[in-house]
Amino acid sequence: MTFSGRRVVLGVSGGIASYKACTVARRLTQAGASVDVVLTTSGAEFVRPVTFEALTGRPVLTSLWDRGRALDHIRLAQDADLMVVAPATANLIARVAQGIADDVLSAILLASPGKILLAPAMNDKMFANPATTKNLDILAARGWKTVGPAVGDLAEGESDQPGRMSEPEEILVEAERLLRSGGPLEGKRVVVTAGPTREPLDPVRIISNRSSGLMGFELARAAYAMGAEVRVVAGPTVASPPIGPILIRVETTDELARAVAEEVQEADMLIMAAAPADYAAVDVSTEKKPRGEGTISLVMKSTPDVLQSTSGRRKVGCYCIGFALETGDGLDRAREKMHKKNLDMIVYNRADQEDGGMEGRNNKVVLLTGSSEKDLPVMSKREVAEEILQTALIDA
Ligand code: CTP
């Protein structure tokens, strides 16, 4: 959604990580961006221009002297919504920090009035060199953003120091965040809970529920893309956590309650998408209970209502969103929960509806606030997350 119809210039300088720029170019194009790749001479030694032309469906700029394209670099710099440089080598970083524009990519970067994201990639010693640190500080002071570098394998072998270029997925997450920067969630602290909790019966058996964690993770992802500082408190999930937000793993409802009580104190927004187990066993056996014949009975006690218990702990002005998972027509029950738990919004969804609720990729929800009711059609959980946040921002 974010990249659709946007103009992105992807600068590729020469390092072994240049091959990963192909994935960045492809993903941006698939997301609907118009991608102009600008290759340095050494970048073109690693990946041929024709590869990027095939991936983006657009001509690639490799030199200031391409015939008939003399002013293209200035036009590209001015028209771009975002510039991403991946990989950004130590040499490129040094040249642009000093204002040198001796090739097409450095010239575009110097002429760019807009948002720039660098993905540095180099030998770990080169990255640790004070010259590189200083050059990156200069660029940061100019408002340029960086992603990575990460710790991990380099072309020359393993390293436990940063130097390796961030993975394309991570670069795309930061590119989206930069593109969307300047909105109302920028710099705000958002706490999201996700997934089920599980309560032990003995060392091997648990009681849990079907929550995959996807809805909460999509909310965390969307809030991060909108510029928020996001903490996600998650139980054991099937879905993978999003890149960007800080992840706090918990197992039981008690652990969730403790983590949320801690995190909510600084939260500007709390989104309780988790499905905590409502009951825990009174006696948890330390030994695996042997299998027997016939039936067994479990004595269980209710767990704390995490959301309700935050009511007195929330920061003044904290916008609070809960979920109500119901079977049958539960709109009134959802509204009751909203008042009882002192919420600004409740997301009503049905556990007994196809394409709704816990396990799928889609959801069908009604968003209830103090002043509005929005009955949404079936959508992907990613789209639902956007709708929830947009509605919250209007309502807040
Ligand atoms: N919730 C919570 N702590 C619990 C149970 C639920 O914080 N122990 C939160 C959920 O994350 C959700 C909201 O409360 O945001 C409503 O959850 P739901 O399961 O629909 O309702 P319950 O309060 O558990 O009530 P019931 O099971 O009776 O429907």
Side-chain angles (χ1 to χ4, degrees), residues 83-166:
M83 287 202 59
V84 179
V85 185
T89 58
N91 180 42
L92 180 87
I93 289 167
R95 283 187 293 124
V96 290
Q98 300 310 316
I100 295 168
D102 59 352
D103 70 358
V104 65
L105 180 53
S106 52
I108 290 180
L109 285 164
L110 212 62
S112 168
K115 298 173 174 177
I116 299 174
L117 178 68
L118 303 176
M122 63 199 73
N123 168 272
D124 52 357
K125 308 273 183 318
M126 290 168 84
F127 182 69
N129 192 298
T132 306
T133 311
K134 189 152 184 224
N135 289 330
L136 283 168
D137 287 348
I138 290 171
L139 296 175
R142 252 180 244 165
W144 296 24
K145 303 287 181 209
T146 52
V147 47
V151 171
D153 284 358
L154 298 168
E156 54 275 34
E158 265 179 43
S159 166
D160 57 2
Q161 297 299 315
R164 174 190 168 88
M165 189 172 88
S166 294

